[in-house]
Amino acid sequence: SSFLLADVFMTELTDPQNSSDAGRYVELYNSGDSDVDLSAGWAVQRWTNGNADPTASSLVDLTGTISAGGFYIICNDADKYNTTYSLTCDQDIGTGGFADSNGDDNMALVGPDGSIVDVFGVPGEDGSGTWHEFEDGRAERAEFVISGCVTPDLCELEWIIDNDSGGGDGNQ
């Protein structure tokens, strides 16, 4: 099965300072040696405002294929993404969901069996003022990371965070 040979995980989450113009997005990466059909049960979800349960509207099934060694961009507005970055996102899931975080939310990539294969942040904890706040900035996976993290307390060292609270390089 291609699922067993692949390792798909989140590599970047964004909330640009000019998000109303630029659009927000989440980038996935496949470090495996085979393509992965994301429509075979892969999904994403988000926890907002410290809620213990994921926001129902943020659970979105993924479509398309992510190639071995390739990236897959999930955006909140394909037109804004294209205008800002001169690129095409792979899946536009609209506003108010997974790819539309204001920088203090927690995210997860869900595998075909329904289990979380990668998590950003600490579900149930509002990200404001924590290691996982990327408001008006971005969260980027550290260069050494080659697979997802499923234990939130151990994920902090895997991320480089820029935010408007002075983290990293500040506003993005």
Side-chain angles (χ1 to χ4, degrees), residues 78-162:
D79 292 334
K80 288 179 182 178
Y81 181 84
N82 178 268
T83 298
T84 302
Y85 306 106
S86 299
L87 299 168
T88 302
C89 71
D90 296 289
Q91 186 172 348
D92 180 343
I93 61 173
T95 58
F98 176 79
D100 199 30
S101 175
N102 64 356
D104 64 356
D105 301 320
N106 305 293
M107 308 336 194
L109 177 63
V110 180
D113 65 355
S115 67
I116 292 176
V117 297
D118 193 18
V119 66
F120 172 80
V122 180
E125 177 181 278
D126 185 301
S128 299
T130 69
W131 70 263
H132 51 94
E133 176 188 353
F134 62 102
E135 183 178 350
D136 294 331
R138 70 184 189 144
E140 178 182 31
R141 221 52 185 264
E143 195 175 329
F144 65 86
V145 178
I146 58 169
S147 64
C149 181
V150 296
T151 307
D153 294 337
L154 302 178
C155 300
E156 179 176 357
L157 296 177
E158 295 190 0
W159 291 94
I160 299 165
I161 309 292
D162 299 310

Side-chain angles (χ1 to χ4, degrees), residues 35-87:
D35 295 353
V36 175
D37 178 2
L38 296 172
S39 65
W42 289 82
V44 291
Q45 66 186 27
R46 176 178 80 160
W47 291 260
T48 59
N49 303 319
N51 290 317
D53 295 318
T55 308
S57 64
S58 76
L59 184 60
V60 175
D61 293 330
L62 297 178
T63 61
T65 299
I66 183 170
S67 61
F71 293 93
Y72 188 90
I73 306 294
I74 305 164
C75 68
N76 72 341
D77 187 301
D79 292 334
K80 288 179 182 178
Y81 181 84
N82 178 268
T83 298
T84 302
Y85 306 106
S86 299
L87 299 168

